[in-house]
């Protein structure tokens, strides 16, 4: 019996130094029926030409170029609309995958009778666990805890029917992955997981994740607020974990804002907005659950005073510089 087609969607934006490695790993898949959809999000480097070149040489690849840069959510949605497969997987253009990725994810999904399957990943701090099949509430709890599978769309295989009903929120540019996965898992009956490291994440210098605050970054609040409130009503056993996740994201963004500044020079204005969101999610119970004392202290300082947090974080940054980064 012929296996179903799997559509692999790859959003592409200014990754010419990584793209060929990614495509070679996808073309080496042991799963027999694959279509690879490259969505060039108006790259300004040679990425678009590479996409067209590979598509001209291999019938499994199709390439489409967006007329203007719209972000990874819009690029993924374009690929979803074009996908012909019964299943969909996402791969970032600067990452690479093992040849058995799709085959093992498909086997795991089929054996479990699941709508979503996930695998382990390298290059990222991820708490893995044993192979398992999760019910919907269990999978939502795993998402909230970020273990054993992570909070991003890659490294997973999905029912295409489920993804086409969900899509990515194009008006949210950070934490959109969390909102997408939450929406997908909320509709899934079962999620299968295997710990095999089949996906390799690439950490790039100068990525947007390491930049300070901006209007785009603060759209993460909308995603976090929705998930926290929806989970409070529908998955109360996971609600506290999602709030802790939001607090940790806010702490990281606040530190980056002090170190890197805010868009348009409005550093303190952004820090105040981060403080306001943090206060809404904050509770003493959550503070006690912070894994590190210094993280708890940073959240407490941020809630108490944006100026105080700025002064303390700036002092730490300068001390690290004086000490050579130690």
């Amino acid at each position: 019996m012929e296996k179903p087609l799997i559509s692999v969607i790859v959003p592409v934006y200014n990754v010419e130094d990584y793209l060929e490695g990614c495509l070679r790993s996808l073309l080496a898949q042991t799963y027999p029926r694959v279509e690879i959809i490259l969505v060039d999000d108006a790259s300004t480097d040679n990425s678009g030409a590479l996409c067209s070149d590979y598509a001209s040489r291999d019938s499994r690849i199709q390439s489409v170029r967006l007329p203007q840069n719209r972000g990874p959510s819009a690029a993924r949605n374009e690929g979803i609309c074009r996908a012909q497969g019964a299943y969909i997987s996402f791969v970032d253009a600067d990452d690479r995958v093992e040849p058995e990725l799709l085959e093992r994810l498909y086997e795991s999904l089929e054996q479990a009778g699941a709508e979503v399957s996930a695998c382990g990943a390298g290059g990222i701090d991820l708490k893995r666990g044993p192979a398992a099949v999760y019910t919907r509430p269990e999978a939502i709890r795993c998402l909230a805890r970020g273990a054993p599978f992570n909070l991003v769309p890659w490294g997973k295989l999905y029912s295409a029917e489920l993804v086409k009903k969900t899509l990515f929120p194009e008006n949210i540019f950070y934490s959109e992955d969390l909102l997408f996965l939450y929406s997908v898992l909320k509709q899934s009956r079962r999620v299968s997981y295997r710990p095999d490291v089949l996906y390799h994440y690439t950490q790039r210098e100068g990525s947007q994740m390491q930049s300070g605050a901006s209007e785009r970054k603060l759209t993460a609040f909308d995603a976090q607020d929705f998930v926290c409130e929806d989970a409070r009503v529908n998955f109360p056993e996971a609600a506290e974990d999602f709030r802790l996740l939001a607090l940790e994201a806010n702490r990281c963004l606040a530190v980056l804002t002090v170190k890197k500044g805010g868009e348009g020079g409005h550093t303190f204005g952004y820090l105040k907005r981060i403080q306001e969101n943090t206060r809404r999610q904050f509770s003493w119970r959550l503070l006690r659950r912070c894994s590190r004392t210094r993280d708890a202290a940073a959240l407490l300082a941020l809630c108490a005073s944006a100026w105080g947090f700025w002064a303390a974080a700036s002092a730490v940054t300068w001390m690290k510089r004086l000490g050579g980064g130690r």
Side-chain angles (χ1 to χ4, degrees), residues 89 92 159 171 182 191 242 258 305:
S89 189
D92 283 357
S159 157
N171 61 331
Y182 179 81
V191 175
F242 279 120
V258 173
S305 168

Side-chain angles (χ1 to χ4, degrees), residues 280-296:
R280 286 197 292 107
Q281 301 291 1
F282 180 85
S283 76
W284 290 102
R285 178 182 172 87
L286 287 175
L287 192 70
R288 289 192 291 269
R289 287 189 55 193
C290 286
S291 57
R292 297 189 300 183
T293 302
R294 67 181 184 184
D295 293 347

Side-chain angles (χ1 to χ4, degrees), residues 5 7 35 37 62 79-87 160 164:
L5 179 68
S7 300
E35 69 167 357
I37 304 172
Q62 61 171 291
I80 291 169
C81 292
R82 292 171 177 267
Q84 298 297 310
Y87 298 96
K164 287 177 182 288

